[in-house]
Amino acid sequence: MKITFLGTSHGVPEVNRRCQSIMFEVGDKVYFVDMGTQSIEGLITRKIPIESVKSVFLTHMHGDHTNGLISFVDLCSWYFKEAKPSFYIPGSGEKAKELIGAWLEFNDSHIRDFEFNTVKEGLFYDDGNIKVTAYRTKHSAFSYSYVIEAENKRILVTGDFCGEGPVVDFPISVLDKPVDVAICECVHFGAGEYSKVLKGNENLKKMVIVHYNDKESSKIAINKLKEDLNMPFIVAVDGFELTV
């Protein structure tokens, strides 16, 4: 499994980082968690066929996680006509399809009959290639962390947490079994909050920080967290690739 971080910034882009978008390549299929940036450009520049995208999973509907979705649907509707992605939407897949369709119609285009589904808590996706399980968080009315299982690996993508941080929102039951990589946001609370729930947990094998800001105080706090947790620890930047 190859994970590519197309966007690693927080609510707004930084100088060299765009908003969150994470691409998973499993076999000959591609999956996305969030499309906060123009993710289709990441596919094209890497010469990855658009038709290989199987599904897109959104952690929640804030713009820094969804702003690339409309352009992706638009181009798959009128240009990449062999592409058949499915979309998994917190809150209401039906409503998302209606709103995107209305925007494309306003733009003198139309939406193809893509499959838009509503995310449900628990195991909600299994295509024989990957499994995805959703855990509710308190960041917004409908927000989720996801566990992705593929090739005998388990990857946690936290999405965004509420301001009270991991103590309230981290899906700690996920760590009842080994987690090969936890991809964790770090902007809505102090980085040190992770130590309260993760320090000493031997089931977490590696941590990747995304969705962080470039303030010096944040960098210091993240470096301190790295020391506290004493595990393989990466602060991701745009374009970073990780093979699991």
Side-chain angles (χ1 to χ4, degrees), residues 3-10 14-23 37 46 183-184 207-214 219 222 233-242:
I3 306 172
T4 302
F5 296 81
L6 300 181
T8 60
S9 191
H10 48 101
E14 295 277 6
V15 173
N16 296 309
R17 295 190 298 123
R18 298 169 293 180
C19 292
Q20 182 160 305
S21 180
I22 306 170
M23 179 173 68
T37 189
R46 289 167 175 79
I183 301 171
C184 301
M207 190 170 187
V208 178
I209 295 294
V210 295
H211 206 272
Y212 59 94
N213 65 47
D214 284 338
K219 293 177 181 179
I222 290 172
F233 188 101
I234 298 165
V235 180
V237 296
D238 288 15
F240 173 66
E241 298 177 351
L242 178 66

Side-chain angles (χ1 to χ4, degrees), residues 11-76:
V12 297
E14 295 277 6
V15 173
N16 296 309
R17 295 190 298 123
R18 298 169 293 180
C19 292
Q20 182 160 305
S21 180
I22 306 170
M23 179 173 68
F24 293 77
E25 296 175 71
V26 183
D28 61 351
K29 302 299 182 185
V30 174
Y31 307 84
F32 280 89
V33 174
D34 291 334
M35 281 191 166
T37 189
Q38 299 301 319
S39 305
I40 198 163
E41 295 178 4
L43 292 164
I44 292 170
T45 58
R46 289 167 175 79
K47 298 182 180 180
I48 297 173
I50 308 304
E51 296 77 13
S52 66
V53 178
K54 184 76 181 291
S55 295
V56 177
F57 310 101
L58 301 182
T59 59
H60 61 291
M61 296 308 295
H62 291 166
D64 57 320
H65 295 256
T66 64
N67 281 341
L69 181 65
I70 291 179
S71 62
F72 184 78
V73 174
D74 182 20
L75 285 171
C76 287

Side-chain angles (χ1 to χ4, degrees), residues 200-217:
N201 194 308
E202 295 182 356
N203 274 338
L204 179 56
K205 306 303 181 183
K206 181 178 292 185
M207 190 170 187
V208 178
I209 295 294
V210 295
H211 206 272
Y212 59 94
N213 65 47
D214 284 338
K215 294 179 180 178
E216 189 62 28
S217 58

Side-chain angles (χ1 to χ4, degrees), residues 96-111:
K97 184 174 185 179
E98 176 187 339
L99 292 171
I100 293 173
W103 177 257
L104 296 188
E105 183 178 347
F106 182 68
N107 196 30
D108 200 26
S109 184
H110 70 280
I111 188 172

Side-chain angles (χ1 to χ4, degrees), residues 102-164:
W103 177 257
L104 296 188
E105 183 178 347
F106 182 68
N107 196 30
D108 200 26
S109 184
H110 70 280
I111 188 172
R112 283 171 50 210
D113 190 25
F114 296 120
E115 183 182 332
F116 279 74
N117 305 278
T118 302
V119 174
K120 302 293 185 183
E121 193 168 14
L123 177 63
F124 70 94
Y125 185 90
D126 183 354
D127 67 352
N129 198 37
I130 73 168
K131 295 180 180 180
V132 185
T133 303
Y135 296 81
R136 283 292 294 271
T137 70
K138 299 180 179 181
H139 179 70
S140 65
F142 297 99
S143 57
Y144 296 92
S145 295
Y146 293 135
V147 170
I148 296 174
E149 298 176 85
E151 300 176 342
N152 296 314
K153 304 293 184 180
R154 298 177 77 230
I155 312 299
L156 170 66
V157 183
T158 67
D160 287 5
F161 290 153
C162 68
E164 295 175 76

Side-chain angles (χ1 to χ4, degrees), residues 161-172:
F161 290 153
C162 68
E164 295 175 76
V167 172
V168 170
D169 256 354
F170 195 95
I172 197 65

